[in-house]
Amino acid sequence: MVVDMKNEESNGNDNIISSRSNTDKNGIHIIVGQYMGKGFPWINQINLTDDLLNVNNYSPLPNYGENGSPVYVPKMDHTQAKRLFAINQFNIVASDMISVNRSLPDIRKQTCRVKKYPDNLPDTSIIIVFHNEAWSTLARTVHSVILRSPHRLINEIILVDDASQRKFLGQELDEYMNKLSKEIKIQISILRSANRIGLIRARIMGANFAKGQVLTFLDAHCETTNGWLEPLLHRILIDGKVAICPVIDIINDQNFAYVRSFEAHWGAMNWALNFRWFSVGHAELKRMHKKNFDSTKSFRTPIMAGGLFSIRRDYFFELGTYDSHLQVWGGENIEMSLRIWQCGGKVEIAPCSHVGHVFRSSSPYSFGKKQVGDVLYGNLIRVAEVWLDDWKNFFYKVNPTAKQILHHDRNDILKDIEKRIDLRRKLNCHSFEWFLENVWPENFFPNTNTTFGHIQSLYSKECMQRPSNGVHPIGKVIMAKCSIEIYGPQSFIIPLTGETGYIKSDESVCIDANSKKTNASILLIGCNQLERQKWRYDSKFKQIIHIKSSLCITIDRRKTTLSLAKCLSNNNKRQAWKIISQNWNND
Ligand code: UD2
Ligand code: MN
């Protein structure tokens, strides 16, 4: 069935411009607490002709990519593969060599494989939104669902075309899906938006049309694995107020190998409200292990990645679907996660459900008339305004660009924001503080029980700063000229004077020292709740004392290097630090 829908707004202007997504292509990080992501959006213009863009070269070769194995493009096709990469920001030549019906390994752990589910699981509509998706990845998403889900649980499959311009996504797709639908006896609908509405409104469009008891959203370049659906629907059967995500595995963007990712990761966000993966928090691990631990049970996640999840249809609507003023891409996952948590629901990950996704290091499509950064910040500003309470001021202070963007485009960005604020009131939701304390106690946001500010050396007059080697703010703490204004890289969450605790910064990094070494360096590494990351600021000599070793942070004579040294009781300036506390929560 094909439905055509007209939509009110258009973003027009759809050249192929590449912009970055905040999701790292490697997906999941190995280092505890380390984040993924590559800084902020970039733009790079590419030139591709219509005949390259509109041709569907899907021509699978026997055995290629089977069982999730990588595909190596023959040498003679390398140039073409390189050239076409920018169309989708993945290797389309490799994808086109793999059958849309390829097999995948069963990567579930044993306890998941033998798990039995009740007969009365709710059924689901599968909703896949896309804009200019490649044929082979889109078709493989649909086929993987058909191949590896019990058909009685699939009410229908809904494809929402967000104004794609590719020829093969038109009539050819209609015909293909019609035929497939008849063969498998599952309704497949293609809803088409005449104008570019962005992924958020495209999903709302799909949800409005859906009839299943549950809505299951997938990106258009996914592959589901054995038994992926039952754990999601089972969790929803037990608790109707849960949005449940699969573990997102990695489909390599170069060779389409299926790579299992770590199950023990959850989602959260940094100070700029960008999504990040971190190790599951200690409090949640403790909760899970408290009563008879069941490794098949879902665990909580503060924020969901956004693209892949199931939710009861009635609950989705009761909660106010999505903020329909969010544009193109981004922020909707943060908005929805905060809304669900703060308004009495839960967001979880089912470790027995694995779905692969092609993580890309940049987005292949245009963000419309506005700059990418403006679109993203515009979306995040709405999230902050509705859900962050006092922390919205913190958001503006550590992201001055957001404040500028709001200043220039206030009316547009904050359009109808009262409606979302009203919704929050009607749903009688908890505060953001409640979210931080109860859902994400390991967070690294400022609060009233800690000091937020810069740390200045009384010897050099410079301030501690996060290293900026690449995108990961880990390494030795560096010293730099103190910023007068709040400046993210120099900002730390510090225990109150006299109290013991962690000195945290953005991206979940903590000040750390390995006191087993002599003259141990002062480092910033992923917060890990180990003793070596515990400190106390002592007011007498203004020393920062390492709890484990009773040594003090000391700056060298050349005023560049920090290390641990014996605490001196003579007011030694090289061990003296001033905590310049800053107001983070006022206007
Ligand atoms: C992640 C999510 C994605 C979404 C996004 C934030 C995963 C695996 N992916 O980024 O679902 O939550 O964060 O917004 O969690 N699309 C449209 N219209 C548009 C733009 C995109 O229909 O204007 C489609 C696109 O074809 C794709 C889906 O939306 O099927 C998600 O876009 P993406 O793959 O570029 O997002 P991703 O995975 O980088
Ligand atoms: Mn995606």
Side-chain angles (χ1 to χ4, degrees):
M1 182 167 70
V2 178
V3 185
D4 263 293
M5 295 200 178
K6 288 246 181 300
N7 283 88
E8 342 74 80
E9 276 175 63
S10 165
N11 279 328
N13 175 32
D14 211 33
N15 306 314
I16 305 284
I17 294 174
S18 156
S19 65
R20 131 175 223 293
S21 77
N22 75 2
T23 325
D24 189 81
K25 68 173 173 181
N26 298 316
I28 309 285
H29 262 275
I30 307 163
I31 300 165
V32 179
Q34 202 176 309
Y35 79 111
M36 59 185 238
K38 290 195 167 165
F40 217 64
W42 72 74
I43 301 263
N44 90 56
Q45 191 96 35
I46 52 157
N47 274 321
L48 285 155
T49 49
D50 274 0
D51 53 323
L52 285 176
L53 291 172
N54 285 311
V55 63
N56 172 12
N57 283 322
Y58 172 60
S59 49
L61 296 169
N63 292 324
Y64 270 57
E66 284 304 320
N67 207 31
S69 61
V71 159
Y72 299 102
V73 173
K75 238 196 173 125
M76 60 182 208
D77 296 327
H78 278 189
T79 324
Q80 182 73 340
K82 250 192 181 157
R83 188 149 159 239
L84 300 188
F85 193 92
I87 300 181
N88 308 285
Q89 290 298 336
F90 53 66
N91 187 348
I92 180 65
V93 175
S95 178
D96 284 346
M97 291 171 149
I98 304 169
S99 163
V100 292
N101 276 313
R102 79 150 153 182
S103 57
L104 291 178
D106 188 340
I107 32 79
R108 292 172 298 172
K109 51 193 171 198
Q110 193 54 29
T111 46
C112 293
R113 290 186 200 191
V114 298
K115 178 134 181 134
K116 295 268 177 293
Y117 295 93
D119 290 332
N120 60 336
L121 297 179
D123 70 358
T124 184
S125 302
I126 308 279
I127 301 174
I128 300 166
V129 306
F130 65 94
H131 172 72
N132 285 345
E133 185 65 39
W135 171 274
S136 51
T137 44
L138 175 62
R140 202 174 295 117
T141 307
V142 173
H143 279 279
S144 78
V145 169
I146 294 167
L147 277 173
R148 287 179 284 265
S149 321
H151 286 198
R152 70 189 156 82
L153 298 179
I154 302 186
N155 182 296
E156 62 185 332
I157 298 172
I158 300 169
L159 305 182
V160 185
D161 173 9
D162 183 10
S164 299
Q165 300 125 317
R166 307 283 186 260
K167 246 191 171 146
F168 54 80
L169 295 175
Q171 203 183 334
E172 195 181 321
L173 186 70
D174 290 346
E175 286 165 7
Y176 184 90
M177 290 299 164
N178 269 330
K179 192 160 162 261
L180 181 62
S181 169
K182 282 187 189 125
E183 267 167 37
I184 56 165
K185 300 193 174 62
I186 290 174
Q187 184 180 309
I188 304 180
S189 309
I190 305 181
L191 315 185
R192 297 197 189 266
S193 168
N195 304 315
R196 180 84 180 278
I197 52 178
L199 76 90
I200 294 107
R201 277 188 287 158
R203 284 195 196 144
I204 297 176
M205 191 166 154
N208 282 333
F209 182 84
K211 295 176 295 296
Q213 287 173 270
V214 171
L215 308 176
T216 298
F217 295 95
L218 294 175
D219 274 9
H221 31 260
C222 289
E223 291 177 65
T224 63
T225 66
N226 280 350
W228 73 287
L229 188 57
E230 293 90 331
L232 304 179
L233 299 178
H234 185 219
R235 183 66 189 118
I236 287 175
L237 175 71
I238 294 168
D239 188 341
K241 290 188 190 303
V242 174
I244 179 89
C245 313
V247 174
I248 309 180
D249 291 326
I250 300 150
I251 301 169
N252 186 290
D253 59 346
Q254 299 289 341
N255 59 28
F256 280 74
Y258 194 97
V259 184
R260 190 185 203 274
S261 67
F262 297 89
E263 276 168 11
H265 279 81
W266 74 5
M269 58 194 176
N270 68 2
W271 289 351
L273 307 185
N274 297 134
F275 177 81
R276 292 289 188 258
W277 295 106
F278 296 113
S279 297
V280 176
H282 285 69
E284 177 61 3
L285 287 177
K286 219 162 137 189
R287 192 187 68 85
M288 285 165 65
H289 284 268
K290 210 149 95 196
K291 286 183 260 173
N292 29 16
F293 175 69
D294 175 353
S295 65
T296 66
K297 256 197 169 159
S298 59
F299 54 86
R300 298 176 182 180
T301 178
I303 307 288
M304 65 161 107
L308 287 51
F309 67 100
S310 297
I311 187 167
R312 267 191 79 101
R313 181 161 57 94
D314 50 12
Y315 185 51
F316 179 80
F317 283 98
E318 186 187 312
L319 268 177
T321 68
Y322 276 115
D323 177 355
S324 61
H325 287 289
L326 299 180
Q327 307 295 319
V328 194
W329 184 102
E332 94 294 341
N333 55 330
I334 313 277
E335 196 274 339
M336 173 170 259
S337 305
L338 293 178
R339 179 155 44 91
I340 292 177
W341 277 118
Q342 289 179 231
C343 310
K346 298 187 190 86
V347 186
E348 297 184 354
I349 296 172
C352 290
S353 173
H354 279 253
V355 177
H357 168 261
V358 185
F359 284 93
R360 308 182 267 199
S361 39
S362 60
S363 304
Y365 39 74
S366 116
F367 272 55
K369 283 176 197 139
K370 287 189 182 178
Q371 299 273 324
V372 191
D374 292 1
V375 172
L376 288 184
Y377 267 129
N379 289 352
L380 296 174
I381 286 167
R382 291 183 71 88
V383 178
E385 289 286 335
V386 179
W387 297 104
L388 255 53
D389 306 324
D390 282 354
W391 280 265
K392 96 177 172 195
N393 297 318
F394 170 68
F395 171 71
Y396 291 127
K397 286 186 180 190
V398 289
N399 302 286
T401 319
K403 194 157 194 179
Q404 273 165 23
I405 289 171
L406 176 61
H407 185 76
H408 285 127
D409 207 5
R410 199 177 180 90
N411 291 342
D412 202 26
I413 291 175
L414 296 185
K415 192 161 173 223
D416 284 343
I417 196 85
E418 328 73 59
K419 291 194 181 148
R420 298 306 286 184
I421 294 170
D422 265 0
L423 173 72
R424 176 174 169 176
R425 202 172 306 124
K426 272 194 212 118
L427 292 171
N428 203 4
C429 308
H430 289 292
S431 63
F432 185 68
E433 185 175 30
W434 177 91
F435 168 83
L436 289 180
E437 282 174 9
N438 294 280
V439 182
W440 189 23
E442 302 79 9
N443 75 80
F444 43 87
F445 280 63
N447 59 51
T448 45
N449 310 317
T450 49
T451 305
F452 174 77
H454 298 174
I455 306 173
Q456 185 183 34
S457 161
L458 289 184
Y459 182 69
S460 74
K461 300 283 183 279
E462 290 197 323
C463 281
M464 290 192 192
Q465 186 167 309
R466 295 199 302 261
S468 55
N469 39 341
V471 287
H472 304 288
I474 52 172
K476 288 184 185 172
V477 173
I478 58 172
M479 297 301 296
K481 188 165 186 286
C482 293
S483 155
I484 298 164
E485 304 275 318
I486 288 182
Y487 175 55
Q490 286 183 4
S491 298
F492 294 92
I493 316 292
I494 308 151
L496 297 178
T497 303
E499 287 182 11
T500 295
Y502 305 108
I503 306 178
K504 302 180 179 184
S505 193
D506 196 8
E507 309 288 1
S508 196
V509 293
C510 281
I511 297 193
D512 177 291
N514 179 5
S515 49
K516 282 190 189 133
K517 290 186 182 157
T518 37
N519 301 327
S521 298
I522 306 303
L523 308 168
L524 268 167
I525 64 169
C527 299
N528 55 26
Q529 309 223 329
L530 296 178
E531 285 297 303
R532 57 183 271 174
Q533 294 191 343
K534 282 195 180 154
W535 305 90
R536 179 167 58 85
Y537 179 71
D538 189 276
S539 56
K540 193 164 172 211
F541 297 122
K542 299 187 164 48
Q543 288 163 327
I544 302 174
I545 304 167
H546 190 234
I547 300 299
K548 197 172 177 196
S549 62
S550 300
L551 298 173
C552 280
I553 299 185
T554 310
I555 190 163
D556 72 333
R557 271 180 225 290
R558 286 166 47 212
K559 304 182 178 173
T560 52
T561 312
L562 304 182
S563 58
L564 282 184
K566 193 166 180 288
C567 300
L568 303 166
S569 50
N570 62 354
N571 252 327
N572 189 299
K573 277 225 161 145
R574 282 169 51 213
Q575 291 185 345
W577 301 90
K578 183 173 171 191
I579 310 287
I580 307 171
S581 133
Q582 262 133 350
N583 275 329
W584 55 270
N585 54 358
N586 62 357
D587 256 324

